[in-house]
Amino acid sequence: RLLDAQEVLHRLPAKMQCMDLGYGASEGKFNIPTQLNCPSGAAAPFACFYEFQPLDGSSPLFLWEVQDGCYYEMLITTYSGLYRYNLQD
């Protein structure tokens, strides 16, 4: 029987901390966690080129144009040939 991560963490000492792997998919690794026990972090700068499609269908924005509190679909362009690929996450 395989244990999931939550079951493993419950078996470790209470003060044990872990480094999350962050956000990624088979298409690439998209962020670099900067704090223990936290999956969020800075965008991985050399993983791909990021664009963000507003949910209202307007033109995609660059990473530096996104707004806090807004929702977007992430589009990636990679060195391996994906062009404006929508992860639909």
Side-chain angles (χ1 to χ4, degrees):
R1 172 175 174 254
L2 295 174
L3 299 176
D4 70 14
Q6 292 299 322
E7 286 183 76
V8 171
L9 287 175
H10 289 298
R11 295 172 185 226
L12 297 173
K15 62 182 179 179
M16 176 74 71
Q17 295 188 8
C18 65
M19 179 61 86
D20 195 287
L21 295 177
Y23 177 52
S26 59
E27 294 84 3
K29 173 89 172 92
F30 306 117
N31 79 331
I32 302 168
T34 56
Q35 297 178 347
L36 292 172
N37 302 320
C38 181
S40 62
F46 302 109
C48 59
F49 182 76
Y50 303 93
E51 294 177 274
F52 295 86
Q53 177 73 55
L55 297 183
D56 66 6
S58 57
S59 297
L61 303 172
F62 297 119
L63 181 61
W64 54 88
E65 296 177 311
V66 299
Q67 303 279 326
D68 281 340
C70 296
Y71 293 94
Y72 305 93
E73 290 185 317
M74 186 168 71
L75 309 175
I76 59 168
T77 297
T78 67
Y79 298 110
S80 58
L82 295 177
Y83 176 72
R84 285 192 163 175
Y85 183 77
N86 187 339
L87 295 173
Q88 298 182 351
D89 285 357

